[in-house]
Amino acid sequence: MRAHKTDGVGEGLGLAKLEELVQRGEVLASQQRSGIVEKRSSTKRRRNLRRALQSKLLLYLRAVGAVAAKENAELAVQFQVPPSNASHEALLTMARGMLEKATLHKDVLVNRGMSEQLLGDLAGALGEFEQTIEATRAAQRQHIGASADLEAVAAEIAEQVRVLDGLVRYRFGDNAELMGAWASARNVLGPFKPKAGDQPKAA
């Protein structure tokens, strides 16, 4: 279109509209990819944090709690590690409950072998775990929103290509070389498939 533009007003408006839509589509596609990357990143980080919580931090707290329970029976049921198949929300709830109880009985647990640093590490891991959940949700919203908008823009692009296709056929329909070049160019955007009856006749 740029290489063979004429002075037609409709042509200029149509091409400008198409360029605007393509630029918008590129922005949305970038947002879509960003959402996917962020979701994968937060999911991977959450998986690592969950592994650390269940196989190290909470396991350590449970072991110390079992020793402390010999002197304080109340602690016997306070430090149960969530099952491996617990949901993220259930894991957070149970782990925060363990952290709260451990903070209340910190002196007793430290006297029975708990590192004073454990509670800080556990609180930090839980905070980061919760952040990854929100990050995943935000990335999912971004991805879904961008995908929906991109689909709408793609539909507008297809419509605009049909308008330009009609214009090109009107202006250059008798030029086989230019029509061949146009057929190749327009397929980059879809490919654009003309409706029945719009196909150019064989020479």
Side-chain angles (χ1 to χ4, degrees):
M1 294 294 294
R2 291 195 186 101
H4 300 88
K5 75 166 78 172
T6 65
D7 296 331
V9 175
E11 177 182 335
L13 293 176
L15 184 58
K17 179 63 175 178
L18 178 60
E19 290 175 331
E20 176 187 336
L21 289 169
V22 170
Q23 289 174 1
R24 175 61 177 157
E26 289 173 346
V27 171
L28 289 169
S30 178
Q31 293 176 356
Q32 184 187 54
R33 288 191 297 271
S34 177
I36 293 173
V37 170
E38 177 58 32
K39 181 181 177 181
R40 289 175 178 172
S41 176
S42 59
T43 298
K44 181 179 179 180
R45 179 57 182 156
R46 184 168 57 255
R47 188 182 302 118
N48 292 336
L49 285 166
R50 183 173 182 126
R51 186 181 302 112
L53 284 167
Q54 293 185 306
S55 66
K56 294 193 301 182
L57 300 174
L58 296 179
L59 204 63
Y60 180 20
L61 185 54
R62 183 185 68 178
V64 177
V67 174
K70 293 180 179 179
E71 296 182 9
N72 187 338
E74 179 188 349
L75 300 179
V77 295
Q78 300 298 327
F79 303 111
Q80 299 299 317
V81 177
S84 59
N85 62 347
S87 67
H88 298 322
E89 289 73 14
L91 174 62
L92 267 176
T93 299
M94 295 180 69
R96 288 198 181 284
M98 292 175 67
L99 176 60
E100 182 179 353
K101 292 297 182 181
T103 300
L104 289 175
H105 300 281
K106 179 179 178 180
D107 292 340
V108 175
L109 296 173
V110 169
N111 289 334
R112 292 297 175 270
M114 185 186 78
S115 168
E116 293 189 16
Q117 186 178 346
L118 175 62
L119 299 186
D121 289 344
L122 178 56
L126 290 174
E128 191 173 351
F129 188 86
E130 193 167 21
Q131 289 174 5
T132 66
I133 293 177
E134 180 52 40
T136 297
R137 289 171 179 166
Q140 181 73 2
R141 289 193 296 268
Q142 178 182 353
H143 167 62
I144 292 176
S147 296
D149 289 345
L150 186 58
E151 184 174 348
V153 169
E156 289 189 63
I157 288 176
E159 290 178 354
Q160 197 60 38
V161 169
R162 280 193 285 271
V163 171
L164 292 176
D165 183 64
L167 177 61
V168 169
R169 292 175 185 278
Y170 171 66
R171 292 187 180 280
F172 307 112
D174 295 331
N175 188 320
E177 182 179 352
L178 288 182
M179 290 305 297
W182 168 247
S184 176
R186 70 180 180 179
N187 283 337
V188 173
L189 290 173
F192 166 70
K193 297 180 179 179
K195 296 180 181 179
D198 289 344
Q199 293 284 3
K201 298 179 180 179

